[in-house]
Amino acid sequence: SSDLNCGGRRPAMDEDGRAYIQRLKAAVHFTVGTMCKEIADEKEVKFKKQTMAAISEVTFRQCESFARDLEMFARHAKRSTINAEDVKLLARRSNSLLAHITQKSEALASRNQAQKGKKRKTVAKGVQNPEDLSESGAMDEDRKS
């Protein structure tokens, strides 16, 4: 059974679920407020509270829509995990967003490859766990570079 809910509608929620949604909405509202304040200071404009509330609501609803689409993309591919390709598919209508996501995805993949290479070299040298590195100071040397 999959963890994905692709019915296009919200399942019935208990009190904890509703509280969780309210916390998410509050976090979005806080972030939108912070961004509006930064823009207002930088551009010397003002935002009405109703405008910030509307931006927050639209943002939250758009995120819900994105989540449903991502779930459907993964389900269509017979996966229960959303991956970077699903996100790229979601962003396909915005060339600049797709380019940005592709760049970040490639950078992350490259960094992960490099980390795997370091891990293999470390294990090959006989160090069995990363704590051994920190005790010997070898890990600190890696952080400096």
Side-chain angles (χ1 to χ4, degrees):
S1 115
S2 170
D3 294 332
L4 301 179
N5 170 26
C6 296
R9 58 182 163 25
R10 285 189 195 155
M13 269 192 261
D14 60 6
E15 193 172 321
D16 287 343
R18 285 188 293 277
Y20 181 71
I21 294 295
Q22 285 308 114
R23 285 194 307 274
L24 287 175
K25 284 184 176 183
V28 169
H29 186 73
F30 175 79
T31 303
V32 167
T34 301
M35 292 174 72
C36 286
K37 182 175 179 357
E38 289 174 8
I39 292 167
D41 292 346
E42 183 181 313
K43 304 289 184 182
E44 297 179 6
V45 297
K46 292 183 181 181
F47 287 89
K48 291 183 178 180
K49 287 185 188 252
Q50 296 93 337
T51 303
M52 289 188 287
I55 293 169
S56 296
E57 183 63 27
V58 167
T59 300
F60 192 82
R61 287 184 184 193
Q62 189 65 52
C63 287
E64 286 182 312
S65 176
F66 287 164
R68 283 190 301 272
D69 288 348
L70 290 167
E71 288 172 346
M72 285 189 274
F73 296 157
R75 179 165 285 176
H76 180 75
K78 298 184 179 12
R79 288 182 277 106
S80 61
T81 303
I82 294 166
N83 65 25
E85 294 306 311
D86 298 323
V87 177
K88 289 178 193 175
L89 185 59
L90 181 71
R92 70 191 180 279
R93 291 189 185 117
S94 169
N95 290 334
S96 61
L97 181 58
L98 180 58
H100 179 75
I101 290 171
T102 300
Q103 176 195 7
K104 292 294 183 184
S105 176
E106 288 170 355
L108 183 60
S110 176
R111 193 168 41 244
N112 287 344
Q113 256 334 90
Q115 288 296 329
K116 284 181 182 177
K118 279 185 181 179
K119 193 178 227 181
R120 282 189 203 113
K121 287 179 188 174
T122 302
V123 171
K125 288 181 182 177
V127 177
Q128 295 302 316
N129 89 44
E131 286 80 34
D132 294 344
L133 286 176
S134 62
E135 289 171 10
S136 70
M139 193 77 124
D140 295 331
E141 292 298 304
D142 280 309
R143 287 187 191 131
K144 290 178 187 172
S145 55

